């Protein structure tokens, strides 16, 4: 059985993702994104699942920074999960009795219009995570409380969902990646495949105007289509920066390898994070 | 006196930023980033301060999305604040008495090595925000508790800082923007200026390979240097996306206006967010 680190706590959205990606492996919660990277780097775990975009549980720009800083890290897969918040209570309680609603401030904020329409006069209280709120509800059946949390927390703590999908915006989603040192491609025929891509981290030699344009020329004439590009500065003010770039589709070895060779010949540092599939998860 | 919305709660890092940017104006906490944008859009406030990068209090990719979605929004300034966590107690208590340390999970995680070295056997407890932890400490002098929070929270709640700058990494920082509908440039001679830039949001007509390269060509031959580029997809899977781009330096009207005209002539949608200065804040 493999050991898979994930950004915790128990019943976090990342665990909800990790449990779908690795239903049969040992899942180990970590308190921060750095620990997930370090445990993979030092071989304490086989792989890790961390958020890449839009998480309410971690500063995901940290994920970009550690992808840049951690040697030999590769991406095995990307996974997209629509964000779904559910209102849940202890099964001994009744929906019309609720006196207070607990959750992470951002989950409360993301459910604002639903709460305003249906629980206008019910007091709301911030918890450090949606999972912590769900755990509290499960341990206090004598209190008339509800939590906003995910499906996984409802299952784990045996809570009853009284309102599903109470988030205000349908299109919101969180994006996760599986990281490891194995240069493998993750595959799971139980999950819908949304596409295939490659990840590259590119560091420009210096801050010269048009440098990024020169880099993109290398991709453009090869018809290598980019689906993501994100720059990160390395210092507080202006200064050096690196880019995470996603190239759509299969990695065509000769043509694409030449692209990397060309980039390196103009003093650009290129780190190839892998070619991998993008999966759709359930929320 | 102007009304300035900021991403709350009271004593959040965003308030610490807003209080330096607008020391004499009325600061109004908002529960989420969307409300900050809406209040500016509907004229309920004059301006708002929201995180753009690296916040532990908000999903800042939301800021990008609302910059894209909210009509007539402009950026008046950008501000960078090094992240500094301090350990603080009620002034009636003693440092060597501490039995528990409270804070936001990410602040606890970011101070992990300090806590491990100096308060190894002291229990840690998650709070929904660093500010909530500081408030709790101030209200419970009878408990031997400490909080990890910022300087502003220490001042606001009259707490005594017993250890300064306990965060594990020096280089960490948060980036904020001032948004409004006024097309003004914010200036404050009390703050150090780090640079000047312009913000543009660019939407490509369709997902064609090399589209971004074509866009960047327009900037490259004009020697318009880019300091940030970030793409955001509009849907769960592959599909349309938009870019936030920062162009370094003063906005040179004729040459740069022509760049926008050229981009529009190739069916690219361009939204000019403003030309503004970048300031350094204290943490």
């Amino acid at each position: 059985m493999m050991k898979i680190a994930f950004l915790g706590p128990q019943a976090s959205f990342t665990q909800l993702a990790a449990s779908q990606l690795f239903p049969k492996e040992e899942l180990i919660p970590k308190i921060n994104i750095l620990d997930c990277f370090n445990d993979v780097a030092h071989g304490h775990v086989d792989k890790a699942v961390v958020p890449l975009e839009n998480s309410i549980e971690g500063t995901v720009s940290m994920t970009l920074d550690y992808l840049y800083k951690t040697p030999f890290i590769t991406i095995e897969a990307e996974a997209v999960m629509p964000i779904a918040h559910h209102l849940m209570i202890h099964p001994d309680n009744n929906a019309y009795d609720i006196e207070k609603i607990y959750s992470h401030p951002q989950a409360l904020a993301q459910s604002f219009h639903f709460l305003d329409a249906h629980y206008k006069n019910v007091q709301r209280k911030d918890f450090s995570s949606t999972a912590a709120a769900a755990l509290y509800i499960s341990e206090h059946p004598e209190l008339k409380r509800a939590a906003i949390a995910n499906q996984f927390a409802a299952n784990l703590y045996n809570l009853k969902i009284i309102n599903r999908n109470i988030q205000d915006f349908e299109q919101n989603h969180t994006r996760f990646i599986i990281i490891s040192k194995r240069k493998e491609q993750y595959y799971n025929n139980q999950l819908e495949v949304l596409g295939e891509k490659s990840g590259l981290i590119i560091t420009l030699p210096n801050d010269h105007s048009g440098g990024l344009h020169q880099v993109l020329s290398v991709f453009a004439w090869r018809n290598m289509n980019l689906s993501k590009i994100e720059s990160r500065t390395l210092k507080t003010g202006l200064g050096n920066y690196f880019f995470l770039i996603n190239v759509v589709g299969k990695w065509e070895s000769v043509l694409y390898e030449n692209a990397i060779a060309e980039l390196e010949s103009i003093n650009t540092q290129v780190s190839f994070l892998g070619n991998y599939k993008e999966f759709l998860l359930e929320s």
Side-chain angles (χ1 to χ4, degrees), chain A:
Chain A
M1 196 159 70
M2 285 193 297
K3 289 184 178 181
I4 314 291
F6 68 92
L7 177 66
Q10 288 284 349
S12 66
F13 284 95
T14 314
Q15 184 170 22
L16 180 55
S19 66
Q20 291 177 57
L21 292 164
F22 297 105
K24 293 174 181 168
E25 313 297 343
E26 185 190 357
L27 301 180
I28 302 164
K30 295 286 158 191
I31 58 159
N32 59 33
I33 292 172
L34 175 59
D35 283 2
C36 293
F37 276 84
N38 279 345
D39 277 15
V40 169
H42 300 136
H44 300 149
V45 297
D46 297 279
K47 304 169 191 222
V49 179
V50 291
L52 179 68
E53 260 180 41
N54 252 13
S55 169
I56 65 174
E57 286 146 355
T59 307
V60 294
S61 47
M62 296 292 102
T63 300
L64 284 186
D65 291 352
Y66 300 134
L67 280 174
Y68 171 77
K69 286 177 192 165
T70 316
F72 309 116
I73 283 283
T74 58
I75 298 177
E76 293 196 2
E78 195 169 308
V80 181
M81 187 166 67
I83 291 177
H85 294 308
H86 310 308
L87 189 68
M88 54 193 74
I89 56 174
H90 193 284
D92 294 351
N93 282 328
N94 289 308
Y96 49 81
D97 273 349
I98 298 173
E99 288 170 358
K100 279 190 189 173
I101 295 175
Y102 294 170
S103 196
H104 186 281
Q106 287 187 53
L108 288 167
Q110 286 168 2
S111 310
F112 182 78
H113 291 102
F114 170 86
L115 295 177
D116 220 42
H118 300 282
Y119 296 92
K120 197 172 176 57
N121 298 314
V122 176
Q123 206 188 325
R124 296 158 209 175
K125 185 170 153 45
D126 290 348
F127 263 63
S128 62
S129 67
T130 58
L135 174 60
Y136 188 90
I137 299 299
S138 76
E139 287 174 343
H140 294 86
E142 77 286 3
L143 300 175
K144 290 162 182 166
R145 305 284 186 265
I148 297 173
N150 60 35
Q151 179 70 53
F152 193 84
N155 296 350
L156 185 66
Y157 301 126
N158 290 312
L159 299 177
K160 188 169 122 193
I161 294 179
I162 53 174
N163 294 99
R164 289 200 161 269
N165 295 308
I166 63 171
Q167 68 279 1
D168 293 332
F169 300 103
E170 279 302 322
Q171 77 283 19
N172 225 335
H173 61 270
T174 298
R175 211 171 272 272
F176 303 90
I177 49 173
I178 302 172
I179 53 168
S180 82
K181 286 197 300 184
R182 300 191 173 185
K183 296 177 188 292
E184 288 173 359
Q185 229 208 26
Y186 169 92
Y187 188 71
N188 184 335
N189 62 13
Q190 302 296 306
L191 298 174
E192 184 184 337
V193 176
L194 293 173
E196 187 167 359
K197 58 176 74 169
S198 299
L200 291 96
I201 283 183
I202 292 174
T203 316
L204 296 185
N206 48 40
D207 203 22
H208 79 91
S209 147
L212 179 61
H213 175 253
Q214 196 181 7
V215 165
L216 296 190
S217 303
V218 171
F219 298 125
W221 77 260
R222 288 180 171 83
N223 288 328
M224 292 164 80
N225 197 2
L226 306 185
S227 65
K228 184 189 178 77
I229 177 164
E230 190 162 351
S231 64
R232 287 281 298 159
T233 46
L234 298 171
K235 289 177 189 170
T236 303
L238 296 173
N240 295 328
Y241 43 101
F242 67 90
F243 299 88
L244 173 67
I245 282 176
N246 279 154
V247 181
V248 177
K250 247 203 147 33
W251 188 255
E252 309 283 354
S253 54
V254 177
L255 190 67
Y256 286 20
E257 291 302 334
N258 284 353
I260 292 188
E262 242 171 64
L263 288 171
E264 286 171 341
S265 77
I266 56 170
N267 290 324
T268 302
Q269 239 185 308
V270 183
S271 161
F272 183 72
L273 297 172
N275 175 246
Y276 46 88
K277 292 198 162 53
E278 181 184 344
F279 296 91
L280 180 64
L281 301 179
E282 283 171 30
S283 57

